């Protein structure tokens, strides 16, 4: 099965997925040691598996709920990782080429999810049954992304140490970024990073807290883009709007959201 990777050249063996979905916990080989990443990854495995199950049983309301929740969670997750990478670049402990590749992979996976799952469901262009199959395919891609990208950024194949990971997680906890789809600021993040997609998220898929606004975000003061392209990365887009601890009122050219 073809996966949406940065180069779109990697074939993932479906048999490799079996031990992942059969376990209620994140398997050891997928753990990076970055607590926030590992919690998010574990939740993606659960949500995608249960979402595919709901879709396969033609439960339209529940399918929309899972697709909406996964969409918000994915955007929150990508922003969190890219903010972490911005901090690592400032400390000189991240490889800029790895960061660029990682940001491109986030964009490619989001594009795949939008094209194959989110938009077809929201426009009634696909049945729940076909959505079930593509949700399972996306789960395969997430597992591949963890092994290929996250392990090289945070895990076994990265220059990260236990001390640097603890410092990174402490810094993230001070940003005021939402770290789950139930936290204040989730709707803000979605509207900033994916304004078109956010208009299709059903209000009853979000908790009241997730719809609350966060007044200030305290991001790392790195102004240089992580992904120096027309649309930039998710963090580039968010930083242009919210700056480091304040809303950005400058007249600088803003990156354009693609979702």
């Amino acid at each position: 099965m073809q996966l949406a990777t940065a180069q779109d050249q990697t074939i993932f063996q479906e048999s490799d997925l079996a031990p992942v979905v059969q376990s209620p916990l994140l398997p050891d080989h997928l753990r990076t040691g970055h607590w926030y990443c590992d919690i998010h990854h574990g939740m993606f495995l659960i949500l995608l598996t249960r979402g595919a199950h709901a879709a396969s049983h033609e439960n339209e309301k529940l399918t929309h709920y899972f697709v909406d929740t996964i969409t918000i969670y994915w955007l929150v997750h990508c922003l969190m990782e890219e903010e972490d990478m911005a901090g690592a670049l400032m400390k000189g402990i991240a490889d800029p080429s790895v960061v660029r590749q990682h940001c491109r992979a986030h964009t490619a996976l989001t594009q795949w999810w939008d094209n194959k799952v989110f938009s077809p469901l929201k426009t009634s262009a696909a049945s729940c049954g076909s959505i079930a199959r593509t949700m399972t395919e996306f789960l395969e891609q997430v597992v591949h992304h963890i092994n290929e990208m996250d392990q090289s950024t945070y895990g076994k194949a990265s220059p990260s140490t236990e001390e640097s990971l603890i410092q990174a997680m402490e810094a993230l906890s001070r940003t005021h970024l939402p770290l789950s789809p139930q936290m204040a600021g989730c709707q803000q993040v979605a509207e900033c990073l994916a304004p078109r997609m956010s208009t299709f998220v059903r209000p009853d898929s979000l908790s009241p807290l997730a719809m609350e606004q966060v007044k200030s975000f305290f991001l790392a003061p790195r102004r240089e883009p992580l992904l120096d392209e027309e649309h930039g990365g998710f963090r580039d887009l968010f930083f242009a709007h919210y700056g480091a601890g304040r809303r950005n009122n400058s007249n600088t050219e803003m990156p354009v959201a693609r979702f």
Side-chain angles (χ1 to χ4, degrees):
M1 181 171 292
Q2 189 73 28
L3 296 183
T5 63
Q7 295 82 19
D8 279 334
Q9 293 178 344
T10 304
I11 302 298
F12 187 82
Q13 299 300 320
E14 292 186 20
S15 60
D16 294 339
L17 192 65
V20 174
V21 299
Q22 290 171 1
S23 172
L25 302 174
L26 191 65
D28 287 341
H29 73 280
L30 295 181
R31 295 181 185 179
T32 64
H34 191 297
W35 302 332
Y36 294 141
C37 286
D38 290 345
I39 290 170
H40 288 187
H41 295 159
M43 287 305 301
F44 285 133
L45 301 188
I46 293 169
L47 290 168
L48 284 162
T49 301
R50 294 186 178 180
H53 183 267
S56 69
H57 285 75
E58 302 291 337
N59 188 328
E60 183 177 348
K61 182 177 181 179
L62 198 54
T63 300
H64 275 274
Y65 169 78
F66 277 114
V67 168
D68 287 346
T69 300
I70 292 163
T71 300
I72 298 295
Y73 210 161
W74 178 253
L75 294 170
V76 164
H77 174 70
C78 291
L79 178 59
M80 180 275 293
E81 283 197 345
E82 292 182 19
E83 171 63 16
D84 187 82
M85 288 185 263
L89 285 170
M90 292 186 68
K91 293 180 179 179
I93 57 174
D95 182 337
S97 65
V98 172
V99 169
R100 286 192 296 272
Q101 186 181 16
H102 202 144
C103 291
R104 288 192 187 103
H106 283 166
T107 299
L109 283 165
T110 308
Q111 187 73 68
W112 196 98
W113 173 260
D114 183 26
N115 290 343
K116 303 290 188 178
V117 179
F118 187 84
S119 287
L121 178 67
K122 296 301 179 177
T123 60
S124 301
S127 65
C128 281
S130 64
I131 293 298
R133 291 189 293 274
T134 51
M135 288 182 79
T136 300
E137 291 176 27
F138 188 75
L139 171 56
E140 295 169 7
Q141 297 191 51
V142 168
V143 171
H144 177 79
H145 177 80
I146 295 170
N147 277 321
E148 293 297 313
M149 290 278 92
D150 292 326
Q151 291 293 8
S152 64
T153 306
Y154 309 109
K156 303 175 183 65
S158 78
S160 299
T161 64
E162 183 177 6
E163 181 179 2
S164 69
L165 287 174
I166 290 173
Q167 291 174 350
M169 290 180 283
E170 183 182 7
L172 283 170
S173 72
R174 295 194 298 265
T175 62
H176 290 185
L177 289 173
L179 298 173
S180 88
Q182 305 299 324
M183 292 177 67
C186 282
Q187 188 175 42
Q188 256 174 296
V189 167
E191 289 174 348
C192 178
L193 304 186
R196 174 184 54 79
M197 294 175 73
S198 69
T199 63
F200 290 96
V201 173
R202 293 182 173 183
D204 58 357
S205 294
L206 295 172
S207 69
L209 183 58
M211 291 187 281
E212 289 187 7
Q213 297 277 301
V214 174
K215 293 181 179 180
S216 295
F217 297 97
F218 297 90
L219 308 177
R222 176 188 168 87
R223 295 185 177 277
E224 297 81 7
L226 301 185
L227 190 57
D228 191 13
E229 298 174 0
E230 177 187 357
H231 296 281
F234 286 123
R235 196 267 182 184
D236 301 330
L237 184 61
F238 198 77
F239 188 89
H241 279 269
Y242 292 101
R246 56 180 171 76
R247 294 183 184 274
N248 183 13
N249 296 315
S250 71
N251 293 320
T252 56
E253 186 175 350
M254 301 284 277
V256 179
R258 71 183 78 198
F259 303 109

